[in-house]
Amino acid sequence: MTKLLLSIHVLASILVVGPIAVAASMFPRYARQTAGEDGHSVGATVLLHRICSGYAIVGVAVPVFGIATGAQLGVLTDAWLLTSIVLTTIAAAILALAILPGQESMIESAAAVAAADGTGAGAGTGDGADTKRAAARLAGLTGVFNLLWAVVVVLMIVRPGSTTGA
Protein backbone atom coordinates (compact mmCIF):
# COMPACT_ATOMS: atom_id res chain seq x y z
CA MET A 1 0.00 0.00 0.00
CA THR A 2 2.87 2.38 0.81
CA LYS A 3 4.35 2.01 -2.67
CA LEU A 4 0.97 2.74 -4.27
CA LEU A 5 0.43 5.84 -2.14
CA LEU A 6 3.97 7.05 -2.80
CA SER A 7 3.56 6.47 -6.54
CA ILE A 8 0.31 8.43 -6.63
CA HIS A 9 1.87 11.22 -4.55
CA VAL A 10 4.90 11.52 -6.86
CA LEU A 11 2.80 11.33 -10.03
CA ALA A 12 0.36 13.93 -8.70
CA SER A 13 3.28 16.17 -7.78
CA ILE A 14 4.74 15.99 -11.26
CA LEU A 15 1.49 16.14 -13.21
CA VAL A 16 -0.20 18.81 -11.10
CA VAL A 17 2.44 21.07 -9.60
CA GLY A 18 4.56 21.02 -12.78
CA PRO A 19 1.89 22.58 -15.02
CA ILE A 20 1.08 25.20 -12.38
CA ALA A 21 4.75 26.12 -12.07
CA VAL A 22 5.17 26.42 -15.85
CA ALA A 23 1.89 28.24 -16.55
CA ALA A 24 2.35 30.66 -13.65
CA SER A 25 5.90 31.37 -14.81
CA MET A 26 4.75 32.09 -18.37
CA PHE A 27 1.82 34.30 -17.33
CA PRO A 28 3.79 37.50 -16.53
CA ARG A 29 5.48 37.48 -19.96
CA TYR A 30 2.18 37.33 -21.79
CA ALA A 31 0.58 39.78 -19.38
CA ARG A 32 3.33 42.32 -20.17
CA GLN A 33 2.57 41.85 -23.85
CA THR A 34 -1.04 42.82 -23.21
CA ALA A 35 0.32 46.29 -22.47
CA GLY A 36 1.10 46.44 -26.20
CA GLU A 37 -1.03 45.66 -29.19
CA ASP A 38 -0.90 41.86 -29.11
CA GLY A 39 -4.45 40.46 -28.94
CA HIS A 40 -3.10 36.91 -28.81
CA SER A 41 -1.47 37.63 -25.45
CA VAL A 42 -4.84 38.26 -23.82
CA GLY A 43 -6.01 34.82 -24.92
CA ALA A 44 -2.76 33.28 -23.70
CA THR A 45 -3.09 34.90 -20.27
CA VAL A 46 -6.65 33.58 -19.95
CA LEU A 47 -5.49 30.07 -20.88
CA LEU A 48 -2.51 30.18 -18.51
CA HIS A 49 -4.73 31.39 -15.67
CA ARG A 50 -7.23 28.63 -16.40
CA ILE A 51 -4.41 26.06 -16.20
CA CYS A 52 -3.19 27.49 -12.89
CA SER A 53 -6.60 27.65 -11.27
CA GLY A 54 -7.81 24.29 -12.57
CA TYR A 55 -4.69 22.43 -11.55
CA ALA A 56 -4.67 24.20 -8.17
CA ILE A 57 -7.97 22.52 -7.34
CA VAL A 58 -6.66 19.09 -8.33
CA GLY A 59 -3.41 19.92 -6.52
CA VAL A 60 -5.04 19.18 -3.18
CA ALA A 61 -4.31 15.53 -4.01
CA VAL A 62 -0.56 16.11 -3.61
CA PRO A 63 -0.51 16.81 0.15
CA VAL A 64 -3.37 14.37 0.77
CA PHE A 65 -1.42 11.47 -0.72
CA GLY A 66 1.78 12.80 0.81
CA ILE A 67 0.31 12.75 4.30
CA ALA A 68 -1.20 9.30 3.69
CA THR A 69 2.23 8.08 2.57
CA GLY A 70 3.91 9.67 5.59
CA ALA A 71 1.40 7.97 7.88
CA GLN A 72 2.08 4.60 6.26
CA LEU A 73 5.82 5.12 6.67
CA GLY A 74 5.45 6.37 10.25
CA VAL A 75 7.31 9.62 9.57
CA LEU A 76 4.57 12.19 10.22
CA THR A 77 6.49 13.67 13.14
CA ASP A 78 9.87 13.85 11.38
CA ALA A 79 11.26 17.37 11.05
CA TRP A 80 11.87 17.08 7.28
CA LEU A 81 8.24 16.13 6.66
CA LEU A 82 6.84 18.80 8.98
CA THR A 83 9.05 21.37 7.21
CA SER A 84 7.77 20.12 3.86
CA ILE A 85 4.17 20.45 5.04
CA VAL A 86 4.78 24.02 6.22
CA LEU A 87 6.50 24.98 2.94
CA THR A 88 3.72 23.33 0.92
CA THR A 89 1.13 25.30 2.92
CA ILE A 90 3.01 28.54 2.28
CA ALA A 91 3.27 27.75 -1.45
CA ALA A 92 -0.46 26.95 -1.60
CA ALA A 93 -1.28 30.20 0.21
CA ILE A 94 0.88 32.21 -2.20
CA LEU A 95 -0.87 30.56 -5.13
CA ALA A 96 -4.40 30.94 -3.77
CA LEU A 97 -4.08 34.35 -2.13
CA ALA A 98 -1.66 36.21 -4.40
CA ILE A 99 -0.87 34.57 -7.74
CA LEU A 100 -4.36 33.53 -8.86
CA PRO A 101 -6.04 36.79 -7.75
CA GLY A 102 -3.19 38.76 -9.36
CA GLN A 103 -3.69 36.93 -12.62
CA GLU A 104 -7.45 37.53 -12.48
CA SER A 105 -6.90 41.21 -11.82
CA MET A 106 -4.53 41.56 -14.77
CA ILE A 107 -6.92 39.73 -17.10
CA GLU A 108 -9.86 41.90 -15.98
CA SER A 109 -7.79 45.03 -16.39
CA ALA A 110 -6.69 44.07 -19.90
CA ALA A 111 -10.26 43.20 -20.88
CA ALA A 112 -11.60 46.50 -19.51
CA VAL A 113 -9.00 48.56 -21.36
CA ALA A 114 -9.57 46.56 -24.56
CA ALA A 115 -13.29 47.21 -24.33
CA ALA A 116 -12.70 50.91 -23.64
CA ASP A 117 -10.38 51.43 -26.61
CA GLY A 118 -12.62 49.35 -28.88
CA THR A 119 -9.80 47.31 -30.40
CA GLY A 120 -10.26 44.14 -28.40
CA ALA A 121 -6.49 43.76 -28.75
CA GLY A 122 -5.42 44.15 -25.16
CA ALA A 123 -4.31 47.09 -23.10
CA GLY A 124 -3.39 49.13 -26.16
CA THR A 125 -3.48 52.71 -25.01
CA GLY A 126 -3.85 51.81 -21.33
CA ASP A 127 -1.26 52.38 -18.67
CA GLY A 128 1.39 49.85 -19.64
CA ALA A 129 3.54 50.80 -16.65
CA ASP A 130 0.92 49.47 -14.22
CA THR A 131 0.65 46.25 -16.19
CA LYS A 132 4.40 45.82 -16.21
CA ARG A 133 4.64 46.44 -12.45
CA ALA A 134 1.87 43.94 -11.77
CA ALA A 135 3.54 41.42 -14.09
CA ALA A 136 6.87 41.90 -12.30
CA ARG A 137 5.17 41.36 -8.94
CA LEU A 138 3.53 38.19 -10.24
CA ALA A 139 6.86 36.98 -11.63
CA GLY A 140 8.45 37.45 -8.22
CA LEU A 141 5.63 35.66 -6.41
CA THR A 142 5.80 32.82 -8.92
CA GLY A 143 9.54 32.58 -8.38
CA VAL A 144 8.98 32.22 -4.63
CA PHE A 145 6.24 29.62 -5.26
CA ASN A 146 8.56 27.61 -7.51
CA LEU A 147 11.48 27.93 -5.10
CA LEU A 148 9.35 26.61 -2.23
CA TRP A 149 8.41 23.57 -4.33
CA ALA A 150 12.05 23.02 -5.23
CA VAL A 151 12.98 22.98 -1.54
CA VAL A 152 10.15 20.54 -0.81
CA VAL A 153 11.38 18.23 -3.58
CA VAL A 154 14.92 18.32 -2.17
CA LEU A 155 13.60 17.56 1.32
CA MET A 156 11.62 14.63 -0.07
CA ILE A 157 14.68 13.21 -1.78
CA VAL A 158 17.31 13.86 0.90
CA ARG A 159 15.07 13.17 3.93
CA PRO A 160 17.42 14.06 6.77
CA GLY A 161 17.87 11.02 8.98
CA SER A 162 16.82 8.66 6.20
CA THR A 163 18.02 5.08 6.33
CA THR A 164 18.28 4.87 2.54
CA GLY A 165 21.78 6.34 2.56
CA ALA A 166 20.73 9.36 0.48
Side-chain angles (χ1 to χ4, degrees), residues 7-22:
S7 296
I8 293 170
H9 172 62
V10 171
L11 282 171
S13 298
I14 293 167
L15 298 175
V16 176
V17 177
I20 295 170
V22 172

Side-chain angles (χ1 to χ4, degrees), residues 38-147:
D38 186 0
H40 298 292
S41 295
V42 175
T45 57
V46 170
L47 175 62
L48 292 169
H49 173 66
R50 190 173 297 151
I51 291 168
C52 290
S53 58
Y55 278 79
I57 293 167
V58 180
V60 172
V62 175
V64 167
F65 282 102
I67 291 170
T69 303
Q72 283 285 316
L73 292 171
V75 295
L76 285 180
T77 58
D78 287 6
W80 66 270
L81 185 61
L82 294 174
T83 302
S84 295
I85 291 170
V86 168
L87 294 177
T88 298
T89 303
I90 293 169
I94 289 171
L95 179 65
L97 301 175
I99 294 173
L100 294 175
Q103 289 177 347
E104 289 171 8
S105 174
M106 291 187 74
I107 290 168
E108 290 170 5
S109 177
V113 173
D117 73 10
T119 65
T125 59
D127 187 1
D130 287 343
T131 300
K132 289 179 182 178
R133 274 193 294 278
R137 181 177 181 274
L138 267 179
L141 287 167
T142 301
V144 171
F145 172 81
N146 291 340
L147 181 62

